[in-house]
Coordinates of all heavy atoms in Angstrom, one line a residue:
M1 N -18.7 19.9 217.3 CA -18.2 20.1 215.9 C -17.9 21.5 215.6 O -18.7 22.4 215.7 CB -19.3 19.6 215.0 CG -19.0 19.7 213.5 SD -20.2 18.7 212.7 CE -20.2 19.6 211.1
K2 N -16.6 21.8 215.3 CA -16.1 23.1 215.1 C -15.8 23.3 213.6 O -15.0 22.6 213.0 CB -14.8 23.4 216.0 CG -14.4 24.8 215.9 CD -13.3 25.0 217.0 CE -12.9 26.5 217.0 NZ -11.9 26.7 217.9
Q3 N -16.5 24.3 213.1 CA -16.3 24.6 211.7 C -15.2 25.7 211.5 O -15.1 26.6 212.2 CB -17.6 25.1 211.0 CG -18.7 24.0 211.0 CD -19.9 24.6 210.3 OE1 -20.1 25.7 210.1 NE2 -20.8 23.6 210.0
K4 N -14.4 25.4 210.4 CA -13.4 26.4 210.0 C -13.8 27.3 209.0 O -14.5 26.8 208.1 CB -12.1 25.7 209.7 CG -11.5 24.9 210.8 CD -10.1 24.6 210.6 CE -9.6 23.7 211.7 NZ -8.4 24.2 212.3
G5 N -13.6 28.6 209.1 CA -13.9 29.5 208.0 C -13.6 30.9 208.5 O -13.0 31.1 209.5
F6 N -13.9 31.9 207.6 CA -13.6 33.3 207.9 C -14.8 33.9 208.6 O -15.9 33.7 208.4 CB -13.4 34.0 206.6 CG -12.1 33.7 205.9 CD1 -12.2 32.9 204.7 CD2 -10.9 33.9 206.3 CE1 -11.1 32.5 204.0 CE2 -9.7 33.5 205.8 CZ -9.9 32.8 204.5
T7 N -14.5 34.8 209.5 CA -15.5 35.6 210.2 C -15.9 36.8 209.3 O -15.3 37.1 208.4 CB -15.0 36.1 211.6 OG1 -14.0 37.0 211.4 CG2 -14.5 34.9 212.4
L8 N -17.0 37.3 209.7 CA -17.5 38.4 209.0 C -16.6 39.6 209.1 O -16.3 40.3 208.0 CB -18.9 38.9 209.6 CG -19.6 40.1 208.9 CD1 -19.8 39.8 207.3 CD2 -20.8 40.5 209.6
I9 N -16.0 39.8 210.1 CA -15.0 40.9 210.3 C -13.8 40.7 209.4 O -13.3 41.6 208.8 CB -14.5 41.0 211.8 CG1 -15.7 41.3 212.7 CG2 -13.4 42.1 211.9 CD1 -16.4 42.7 212.4
E10 N -13.3 39.5 209.3 CA -12.1 39.2 208.4 C -12.6 39.4 207.0 O -11.7 40.0 206.3 CB -11.7 37.7 208.6 CG -11.1 37.5 209.9 CD -10.8 36.0 210.2 OE1 -11.6 35.1 209.7 OE2 -9.8 35.7 211.0
M11 N -13.7 39.0 206.6 CA -14.1 39.3 205.2 C -14.3 40.8 204.9 O -13.9 41.2 203.8 CB -15.5 38.6 204.9 CG -15.4 37.1 205.0 SD -14.4 36.5 203.7 CE -15.3 36.7 202.3
L12 N -14.8 41.5 205.9 CA -14.9 43.0 205.7 C -13.5 43.7 205.5 O -13.4 44.6 204.7 CB -15.7 43.6 206.8 CG -17.2 43.3 206.8 CD1 -17.9 43.8 208.0 CD2 -17.9 43.9 205.6
I13 N -12.6 43.2 206.3 CA -11.2 43.8 206.2 C -10.6 43.5 204.9 O -10.1 44.4 204.2 CB -10.4 43.2 207.4 CG1 -10.8 43.8 208.7 CG2 -8.9 43.5 207.1 CD1 -10.2 43.2 209.9
V14 N -10.7 42.3 204.4 CA -10.3 41.9 203.0 C -10.9 42.7 202.0 O -10.3 43.3 201.0 CB -10.4 40.4 202.8 CG1 -10.2 40.1 201.3 CG2 -9.6 39.6 203.7
L15 N -12.2 42.9 202.1 CA -12.9 43.7 201.0 C -12.5 45.2 201.1 O -12.4 45.9 200.1 CB -14.5 43.6 201.3 CG -15.1 42.3 200.8 CD1 -16.6 42.3 201.2 CD2 -14.9 42.0 199.3
M16 N -12.2 45.7 202.4 CA -11.8 47.1 202.4 C -10.4 47.2 201.8 O -10.1 48.2 201.1 CB -11.7 47.5 204.0 CG -11.4 49.0 204.1 SD -11.2 49.3 205.9 CE -9.7 48.5 206.4
I17 N -9.5 46.3 202.0 CA -8.2 46.4 201.4 C -8.2 46.2 199.9 O -7.6 47.1 199.3 CB -7.3 45.3 202.0 CG1 -7.0 45.4 203.5 CG2 -5.9 45.1 201.1 CD1 -6.3 44.4 204.2
I18 N -9.0 45.4 199.4 CA -9.2 45.4 197.9 C -9.8 46.7 197.4 O -9.3 47.2 196.4 CB -10.1 44.2 197.6 CG1 -9.4 42.8 197.8 CG2 -10.6 44.2 196.1 CD1 -10.2 41.6 197.8
S19 N -10.8 47.3 198.1 CA -11.3 48.5 197.6 C -10.3 49.6 197.6 O -10.3 50.4 196.6 CB -12.5 48.9 198.6 OG -13.5 48.0 198.5
I20 N -9.5 49.7 198.6 CA -8.4 50.7 198.6 C -7.4 50.5 197.4 O -7.1 51.5 196.8 CB -7.7 50.6 199.9 CG1 -8.6 51.2 201.1 CG2 -6.4 51.5 200.0 CD1 -8.2 51.0 202.5
L21 N -7.1 49.3 197.2 CA -6.2 49.0 196.1 C -6.8 49.4 194.8 O -6.1 49.9 193.9 CB -5.8 47.5 196.0 CG -4.8 47.1 197.2 CD1 -4.6 45.5 197.1 CD2 -3.6 47.7 197.1
I22 N -8.0 49.2 194.5 CA -8.7 49.5 193.3 C -8.8 51.0 193.3 O -8.6 51.6 192.2 CB -10.2 48.9 193.3 CG1 -10.0 47.5 193.1 CG2 -11.0 49.6 192.2 CD1 -11.5 46.7 193.1
L23 N -9.1 51.8 194.3 CA -9.1 53.2 194.3 C -7.8 53.8 194.0 O -7.7 54.9 193.4 CB -9.6 53.8 195.6 CG -11.1 53.5 195.9 CD1 -11.5 54.0 197.3 CD2 -11.9 54.3 194.9
I24 N -6.6 53.2 194.3 CA -5.3 53.6 194.0 C -5.0 53.4 192.5 O -4.4 54.2 191.9 CB -4.4 53.0 195.0 CG1 -4.5 53.5 196.3 CG2 -2.9 53.2 194.5 CD1 -3.6 52.7 197.4
T25 N -5.4 52.3 192.0 CA -4.9 51.9 190.6 C -5.7 52.5 189.5 O -5.2 52.8 188.5 CB -4.9 50.3 190.5 OG1 -6.3 49.8 190.6 CG2 -4.0 49.7 191.3
I26 N -7.0 52.8 189.7 CA -7.9 53.3 188.6 C -7.3 54.7 188.2 O -7.2 54.9 186.9 CB -9.4 53.4 189.1 CG1 -9.8 52.0 189.1 CG2 -10.1 54.2 188.0 CD1 -11.3 51.8 189.5
P27 N -7.0 55.6 188.9 CA -6.6 56.9 188.4 C -5.2 56.8 187.7 O -5.0 57.4 186.7 CB -6.3 57.8 189.7 CG -7.2 57.2 190.7 CD -7.3 55.8 190.4
N28 N -4.4 55.9 188.1 CA -3.1 55.6 187.4 C -3.3 55.1 186.0 O -2.7 55.4 185.1 CB -2.1 54.8 188.2 CG -1.7 55.5 189.4 OD1 -1.5 56.6 189.4 ND2 -1.3 54.7 190.5
V29 N -4.2 54.1 185.9 CA -4.5 53.5 184.6 C -5.1 54.5 183.7 O -4.7 54.6 182.5 CB -5.5 52.4 184.8 CG1 -6.0 51.8 183.4 CG2 -4.8 51.2 185.6
T30 N -6.1 55.4 184.0 CA -6.6 56.5 183.2 C -5.6 57.5 182.8 O -5.6 58.0 181.7 CB -7.8 57.1 183.8 OG1 -7.4 57.7 185.1 CG2 -8.9 56.1 184.1
K31 N -4.6 57.8 183.7 CA -3.6 58.8 183.4 C -2.7 58.2 182.3 O -2.4 58.9 181.3 CB -2.8 59.1 184.7 CG -1.6 60.0 184.4 CD -0.9 60.3 185.7 CE 0.5 60.3 185.5 NZ 1.4 60.2 186.6
H32 N -2.3 56.9 182.4 CA -1.5 56.3 181.5 C -2.2 56.1 180.2 O -1.5 56.3 179.1 CB -0.9 55.0 182.0 CG 0.1 55.0 183.1 ND1 1.3 55.7 182.9 CD2 0.0 54.7 184.4 CE1 2.0 55.6 184.1 NE2 1.2 55.1 184.9
N33 N -3.4 55.9 180.1 CA -4.2 55.7 178.9 C -4.1 57.1 178.1 O -4.0 57.1 176.9 CB -5.7 55.4 179.2 CG -6.4 54.9 178.1 OD1 -5.9 54.4 177.1 ND2 -7.8 55.0 178.2
S34 N -4.2 58.2 178.8 CA -4.2 59.5 178.2 C -2.8 59.7 177.5 O -2.7 60.2 176.3 CB -4.6 60.6 179.1 OG -4.3 61.8 178.5
V35 N -1.8 59.4 178.2 CA -0.4 59.5 177.7 C -0.2 58.6 176.4 O 0.3 59.0 175.4 CB 0.6 59.2 178.7 CG1 2.0 59.1 178.2 CG2 0.6 60.3 179.9
I36 N -0.7 57.4 176.5 CA -0.6 56.5 175.4 C -1.4 56.9 174.2 O -0.9 57.0 173.0 CB -1.2 55.1 175.8 CG1 -0.2 54.4 176.8 CG2 -1.3 54.2 174.5 CD1 -0.7 53.2 177.4
N37 N -2.6 57.5 174.4 CA -3.4 58.1 173.2 C -2.6 59.3 172.6 O -2.6 59.3 171.4 CB -4.8 58.5 173.7 CG -5.7 57.3 173.9 OD1 -5.4 56.2 173.3 ND2 -6.8 57.5 174.7
N38 N -2.1 60.2 173.4 CA -1.3 61.3 172.9 C -0.1 60.9 172.1 O 0.2 61.4 171.1 CB -0.9 62.3 174.0 CG -2.2 63.0 174.5 OD1 -3.2 63.1 173.8 ND2 -2.1 63.5 175.7
K39 N 0.6 59.9 172.6 CA 1.8 59.3 171.9 C 1.3 58.7 170.6 O 2.0 58.9 169.5 CB 2.6 58.4 172.8 CG 3.3 58.9 173.9 CD 4.5 59.7 173.6 CE 5.1 60.3 174.8 NZ 6.2 61.1 174.5
G40 N 0.2 58.0 170.6 CA -0.3 57.4 169.4 C -0.7 58.5 168.4 O -0.5 58.3 167.1
C41 N -1.2 59.6 168.8 CA -1.6 60.6 167.8 C -0.3 61.3 167.2 O -0.2 61.6 166.1 CB -2.4 61.6 168.5 SG -3.2 62.8 167.4
E42 N 0.8 61.5 168.1 CA 2.1 62.0 167.6 C 2.6 61.1 166.5 O 3.0 61.5 165.4 CB 3.0 62.1 168.7 CG 2.7 63.2 169.7 CD 3.7 63.2 170.8 OE1 4.8 62.6 170.7 OE2 3.4 63.8 171.9
A43 N 2.6 59.8 166.7 CA 3.0 58.8 165.7 C 2.1 58.9 164.5 O 2.7 58.8 163.3 CB 3.0 57.4 166.3
L44 N 0.8 59.0 164.6 CA -0.1 59.1 163.5 C 0.2 60.3 162.7 O 0.2 60.2 161.3 CB -1.5 59.0 163.9 CG -2.6 59.0 162.7 CD1 -2.4 57.8 161.9 CD2 -4.0 59.1 163.3
V45 N 0.5 61.4 163.3 CA 0.8 62.6 162.5 C 2.0 62.5 161.7 O 2.0 62.8 160.4 CB 1.0 63.9 163.4 CG1 1.6 65.0 162.8 CG2 -0.3 64.2 164.1
K46 N 3.0 61.8 162.2 CA 4.3 61.6 161.5 C 4.1 60.6 160.3 O 4.6 60.8 159.3 CB 5.3 61.0 162.4 CG 5.9 62.1 163.4 CD 6.9 61.5 164.3 CE 7.4 62.5 165.3 NZ 8.3 62.0 166.3
M47 N 3.2 59.6 160.5 CA 3.0 58.6 159.4 C 2.1 59.3 158.4 O 2.5 59.2 157.1 CB 2.2 57.5 160.0 CG 2.0 56.3 159.1 SD 0.6 56.4 158.0 CE -0.8 56.4 159.1
V48 N 1.1 60.1 158.7 CA 0.3 60.8 157.7 C 1.2 61.9 156.9 O 1.1 62.0 155.7 CB -0.9 61.5 158.3 CG1 -1.6 62.3 157.3 CG2 -1.9 60.3 158.8
Q49 N 2.1 62.4 157.7 CA 3.1 63.4 157.0 C 3.9 62.7 156.0 O 4.1 63.2 154.8 CB 4.0 64.1 158.1 CG 4.9 65.1 157.4 CD 4.2 66.4 157.0 OE1 3.5 66.9 157.8 NE2 4.3 66.7 155.7
A50 N 4.4 61.5 156.3 CA 5.1 60.7 155.3 C 4.3 60.3 154.0 O 4.7 60.3 152.9 CB 5.7 59.5 156.0
Q51 N 3.0 60.0 154.4 CA 2.2 59.5 153.3 C 1.8 60.8 152.4 O 1.6 60.6 151.2 CB 0.9 58.8 153.8 CG 1.1 57.5 154.6 CD 1.6 56.5 153.5 OE1 2.8 56.6 153.1 NE2 0.8 55.6 153.1
A52 N 1.6 61.9 153.0 CA 1.3 63.2 152.2 C 2.5 63.4 151.3 O 2.3 63.8 150.2 CB 1.1 64.3 153.2
K53 N 3.7 63.2 151.8 CA 4.9 63.4 151.0 C 4.9 62.4 149.8 O 5.3 62.8 148.6 CB 6.2 63.3 151.8 CG 6.5 64.6 152.6 CD 6.9 65.7 151.6 CE 7.2 66.9 152.5 NZ 7.1 68.1 151.8
A54 N 4.6 61.2 150.1 CA 4.6 60.2 149.0 C 3.6 60.5 148.0 O 3.9 60.4 146.8 CB 4.3 58.8 149.7
Y55 N 2.4 60.9 148.4 CA 1.4 61.4 147.5 C 1.8 62.5 146.6 O 1.6 62.5 145.4 CB 0.1 61.8 148.2 CG -1.1 62.2 147.4 CD1 -2.1 61.2 147.1 CD2 -1.3 63.4 146.9 CE1 -3.2 61.6 146.3 CE2 -2.3 63.8 146.1 CZ -3.2 62.9 145.8 OH -4.4 63.3 145.0
E56 N 2.5 63.5 147.3 CA 2.9 64.6 146.6 C 4.0 64.3 145.6 O 4.0 64.8 144.4 CB 3.5 65.7 147.6 CG 3.9 67.0 146.9 CD 4.4 68.0 148.0 OE1 4.4 67.7 149.2 OE2 4.9 69.1 147.6
M57 N 4.8 63.3 145.9 CA 5.9 63.0 144.9 C 5.3 62.2 143.8 O 5.7 62.4 142.6 CB 6.9 62.0 145.7 CG 7.8 62.8 146.6 SD 8.8 61.7 147.7 CE 9.9 60.9 146.5
E58 N 4.2 61.4 144.0 CA 3.6 60.6 142.9 C 2.7 61.5 142.0 O 2.8 61.3 140.8 CB 2.8 59.5 143.5 CG 3.7 58.3 144.1 CD 2.8 57.3 144.7 OE1 1.6 57.2 144.4 OE2 3.4 56.4 145.4
K59 N 1.9 62.3 142.7 CA 0.9 63.1 141.9 C 1.3 64.5 141.6 O 0.7 65.1 140.7 CB -0.4 63.1 142.7 CG -0.9 61.8 143.3 CD -1.6 61.0 142.3 CE -2.2 59.8 143.0 NZ -2.7 58.8 142.1
G60 N 2.3 65.0 142.3 CA 2.7 66.5 142.0 C 1.9 67.5 142.7 O 2.2 68.7 142.4
T61 N 1.0 67.2 143.5 CA 0.2 68.2 144.3 C 0.1 67.8 145.7 O 0.2 66.6 146.1 CB -1.3 68.2 143.8 OG1 -1.9 67.0 143.9 CG2 -1.3 68.7 142.3
I62 N -0.1 68.8 146.5 CA -0.3 68.6 148.0 C -1.7 68.0 148.2 O -2.7 68.6 147.7 CB -0.1 69.9 148.8 CG1 1.3 70.3 148.6 CG2 -0.4 69.7 150.3 CD1 1.6 71.8 149.1
P63 N -1.8 66.8 148.8 CA -3.1 66.2 149.0 C -3.9 66.9 150.2 O -3.4 67.5 151.0 CB -2.8 64.8 149.3 CG -1.5 64.9 150.1 CD -0.8 66.1 149.5
T64 N -5.2 66.6 150.2 CA -6.1 66.9 151.3 C -6.2 65.5 152.1 O -5.8 64.4 151.6 CB -7.4 67.3 150.9 OG1 -8.1 66.2 150.2 CG2 -7.4 68.5 150.0
I65 N -6.6 65.6 153.3 CA -6.8 64.4 154.1 C -7.8 63.4 153.3 O -7.6 62.2 153.3 CB -7.4 64.7 155.5 CG1 -6.3 65.4 156.3 CG2 -7.9 63.5 156.2 CD1 -5.1 64.5 156.8
Q66 N -8.8 64.0 152.8 CA -9.8 63.1 152.1 C -9.2 62.4 150.9 O -9.5 61.3 150.6 CB -11.0 63.9 151.7 CG -12.2 63.1 151.2 CD -12.7 62.0 152.3 OE1 -12.9 62.5 153.5 NE2 -12.8 60.9 152.0
E67 N -8.3 63.2 150.1 CA -7.7 62.5 149.1 C -6.8 61.3 149.5 O -6.7 60.3 148.8 CB -6.9 63.5 148.3 CG -7.6 64.5 147.5 CD -6.8 65.6 146.9 OE1 -5.8 66.0 147.5 OE2 -7.3 66.2 145.8
L68 N -6.1 61.5 150.6 CA -5.3 60.3 151.2 C -6.1 59.2 151.5 O -5.7 58.1 151.3 CB -4.5 60.9 152.4 CG -3.3 61.9 152.0 CD1 -2.7 62.3 153.4 CD2 -2.3 61.2 151.1
I69 N -7.3 59.5 152.1 CA -8.2 58.3 152.4 C -8.7 57.7 151.2 O -8.7 56.4 151.1 CB -9.3 58.9 153.4 CG1 -8.8 59.3 154.7 CG2 -10.4 57.8 153.6 CD1 -9.8 60.0 155.7
D70 N -9.2 58.5 150.3 CA -9.8 58.0 149.0 C -8.8 57.2 148.2 O -9.2 56.2 147.6 CB -10.3 59.1 148.2 CG -11.6 59.7 148.7 OD1 -12.2 59.1 149.7 OD2 -11.9 60.9 148.3
Q71 N -7.5 57.5 148.2 CA -6.5 56.9 147.4 C -5.8 55.8 148.2 O -4.8 55.2 147.8 CB -5.4 57.9 146.9 CG -5.9 58.9 146.0 CD -6.3 58.3 144.6 OE1 -5.6 57.5 144.1 NE2 -7.5 58.7 144.1
K72 N -6.3 55.5 149.4 CA -5.9 54.4 150.3 C -4.4 54.6 150.8 O -3.8 53.6 151.1 CB -6.0 53.0 149.6 CG -7.3 52.7 148.9 CD -8.3 52.2 150.0 CE -9.5 51.5 149.2 NZ -10.7 52.2 149.7
Y73 N -4.0 55.8 151.0 CA -2.8 56.1 151.6 C -2.9 56.0 153.1 O -1.9 55.6 153.8 CB -2.3 57.6 151.2 CG -1.7 57.6 149.9 CD1 -2.4 57.7 148.7 CD2 -0.3 57.5 149.8 CE1 -1.9 57.8 147.4 CE2 0.3 57.7 148.5 CZ -0.6 57.8 147.4 OH 0.0 57.9 146.1
I74 N -4.0 56.3 153.6 CA -4.3 56.2 155.0 C -5.7 55.7 155.2 O -6.6 55.7 154.2 CB -4.2 57.6 155.8 CG1 -5.1 58.6 155.3 CG2 -2.8 58.0 155.8 CD1 -5.2 59.9 156.1
K75 N -6.0 55.0 156.4 CA -7.4 54.5 156.6 C -8.3 55.5 157.3 O -9.5 55.5 157.0 CB -7.3 53.2 157.5 CG -6.5 52.1 156.8 CD -6.6 50.9 157.7 CE -6.0 49.7 156.9 NZ -6.0 48.5 157.8
S76 N -7.7 56.4 158.1 CA -8.6 57.3 158.9 C -7.8 58.5 159.3 O -6.6 58.5 159.2 CB -9.1 56.6 160.2 OG -9.7 57.5 161.0
N77 N -8.5 59.6 159.5 CA -7.9 60.9 160.0 C -8.1 61.1 161.5 O -7.9 62.2 162.0 CB -8.4 62.0 159.1 CG -9.9 62.3 159.4 OD1 -10.6 61.5 159.8 ND2 -10.3 63.6 159.2
K78 N -8.6 60.0 162.1 CA -8.8 60.1 163.6 C -7.7 59.6 164.4 O -7.2 58.6 164.2 CB -10.1 59.3 164.0 CG -11.3 59.8 163.4 CD -12.0 61.0 164.1 CE -13.3 61.3 163.6 NZ -13.7 62.6 164.0
C79 N -7.2 60.5 165.4 CA -6.3 60.2 166.4 C -6.8 59.3 167.5 O -8.1 59.3 167.7 CB -5.6 61.3 167.1 SG -4.5 62.2 166.1
P80 N -6.0 58.5 168.2 CA -6.5 57.7 169.3 C -7.2 58.5 170.4 O -8.1 58.1 171.1 CB -5.3 57.0 169.9 CG -4.4 56.9 168.7 CD -4.7 58.1 167.9
N81 N -6.8 59.8 170.5 CA -7.3 60.7 171.6 C -8.6 61.4 171.1 O -9.1 62.2 171.7 CB -6.3 61.7 172.0 CG -5.8 62.6 171.0 OD1 -6.3 62.7 169.9 ND2 -4.7 63.4 171.3
G82 N -9.1 61.1 169.8 CA -10.3 61.6 169.4 C -10.2 62.9 168.5 O -11.1 63.3 167.8
N83 N -9.0 63.5 168.4 CA -8.8 64.6 167.5 C -8.6 64.2 166.1 O -8.3 63.0 165.8 CB -7.5 65.3 167.9 CG -7.6 66.0 169.3 OD1 -8.7 66.1 169.8 ND2 -6.5 66.3 169.9
T84 N -8.8 65.1 165.1 CA -8.7 64.8 163.7 C -7.5 65.5 163.2 O -6.9 66.3 163.8 CB -9.9 65.3 162.9 OG1 -10.0 66.7 163.2 CG2 -11.1 64.6 163.3
L85 N -7.0 64.9 162.1 CA -5.8 65.5 161.4 C -6.2 66.4 160.3 O -7.3 66.2 159.6 CB -4.9 64.4 160.9 CG -4.4 63.4 162.0 CD1 -3.5 62.4 161.3 CD2 -3.7 64.1 163.0
Q86 N -5.3 67.4 160.0 CA -5.5 68.3 158.8 C -4.2 68.6 158.1 O -3.2 68.4 158.7 CB -6.2 69.6 159.3 CG -5.3 70.3 160.3 CD -6.1 71.6 160.8 OE1 -7.2 71.7 160.7 NE2 -5.3 72.5 161.4
I87 N -4.3 69.0 156.9 CA -3.2 69.3 156.1 C -3.3 70.7 155.7 O -4.3 71.1 155.1 CB -2.9 68.3 154.8 CG1 -2.8 67.0 155.3 CG2 -1.7 68.8 154.1 CD1 -2.8 65.9 154.2
D88 N -2.2 71.6 156.0 CA -2.3 72.9 155.6 C -1.9 73.1 154.1 O -1.5 72.2 153.4 CB -1.6 73.9 156.5 CG -0.2 73.6 156.5 OD1 0.4 73.0 155.6 OD2 0.5 74.0 157.6
S89 N -1.9 74.3 153.6 CA -1.6 74.6 152.2 C -0.1 74.3 151.9 O 0.2 74.1 150.7 CB -1.9 76.0 151.8 OG -1.2 76.9 152.7
S90 N 0.7 74.3 152.9 CA 2.1 74.0 152.7 C 2.5 72.5 152.7 O 3.6 72.0 152.5 CB 3.1 74.7 153.6 OG 2.9 74.2 154.9
G91 N 1.4 71.7 153.1 CA 1.6 70.2 153.1 C 1.9 69.7 154.5 O 2.2 68.6 154.6
E92 N 1.9 70.5 155.5 CA 2.2 70.1 156.9 C 0.9 69.5 157.6 O -0.2 70.1 157.5 CB 2.7 71.3 157.7 CG 4.1 71.8 157.4 CD 5.1 70.7 157.7 OE1 5.1 70.1 158.8 OE2 6.0 70.5 156.8
V93 N 1.2 68.3 158.2 CA 0.1 67.7 158.9 C 0.1 68.2 160.3 O 1.1 68.2 160.9 CB 0.2 66.2 158.8 CG1 -0.9 65.5 159.6 CG2 0.2 65.7 157.3
S94 N -1.1 68.4 160.8 CA -1.3 68.8 162.2 C -2.5 68.2 162.9 O -3.4 67.8 162.1 CB -1.2 70.3 162.4 OG -2.4 70.9 161.8
E95 N -2.5 68.3 164.1 CA -3.7 67.7 164.9 C -4.6 68.8 165.1 O -4.3 70.0 165.5 CB -3.1 67.2 166.3 CG -4.1 66.5 167.1 CD -3.4 65.9 168.4 OE1 -2.2 66.0 168.5 OE2 -4.2 65.7 169.2
N96 N -5.9 68.6 164.8 CA -7.0 69.5 165.0 C -7.9 69.2 166.2 O -8.4 68.1 166.2 CB -7.9 69.5 163.7 CG -8.9 70.7 163.7 OD1 -8.8 71.6 164.6 ND2 -9.9 70.5 162.9
D97 N -7.8 69.9 167.3 CA -8.5 69.6 168.5 C -10.0 69.4 168.2 O -10.6 70.3 167.6 CB -8.3 70.6 169.6 CG -6.9 70.7 170.0 OD1 -6.2 69.7 169.9 OD2 -6.5 71.8 170.5
A98 N -10.6 68.4 168.8 CA -12.0 68.0 168.6 C -12.8 68.9 169.4 O -12.5 69.5 170.4 CB -12.2 66.5 168.9

């Protein structure tokens, strides 16, 4: 009676190939994740800038980030990459490194 199946060597070779593929893909995924977070923060800065202009047009004053949050113009001042946003005295929104 001859049983069919994989030998230990064949299984080890398959596991080695899978391990190599995982080692190749993980750095690429983390690199792309960082790029995505930075692009998300750029988009958030532009959106908050537009909301600050809308607030300024309605209320006649340049808002602070907290005023925008309190008045429900924005939900948060946190970027996807962990940085916070700030508004300077001229009304320009920028990213504040954490």
Side-chain angles (χ1 to χ4, degrees):
M1 181 168 153
K2 189 171 183 180
Q3 292 183 347
K4 296 199 180 229
F6 295 108
T7 65
L8 181 60
I9 299 297
E10 290 170 331
M11 293 298 287
L12 288 175
I13 290 171
V14 169
L15 287 173
M16 183 181 70
I17 291 171
I18 290 172
S19 298
I20 290 171
L21 290 174
I22 288 174
L23 288 173
I24 291 171
T25 57
I26 287 177
N28 289 334
V29 169
T30 56
K31 179 180 136 188
H32 290 295
N33 193 23
S34 173
V35 170
I36 290 168
N37 284 340
N38 288 335
K39 293 287 182 185
C41 195
E42 289 173 19
L44 182 63
V45 166
K46 290 178 183 176
M47 190 272 301
V48 171
Q49 183 69 57
Q51 292 298 73
K53 282 292 181 196
Y55 182 96
E56 185 178 357
M57 289 170 64
E58 288 179 14
K59 310 279 186 187
T61 61
I62 296 172
T64 64
I65 289 288
Q66 192 58 48
E67 287 173 333
L68 289 177
I69 293 171
D70 292 344
Q71 297 291 316
K72 308 280 191 239
Y73 281 82
I74 60 175
K75 290 183 180 181
S76 173
N77 67 335
K78 294 277 186 196
C79 280
N81 64 9
N83 295 343
T84 57
L85 300 180
Q86 62 185 12
I87 300 176
D88 64 17
S89 59
S90 67
E92 287 297 313
V93 177
S94 61
E95 188 178 346
N96 188 17
D97 294 337

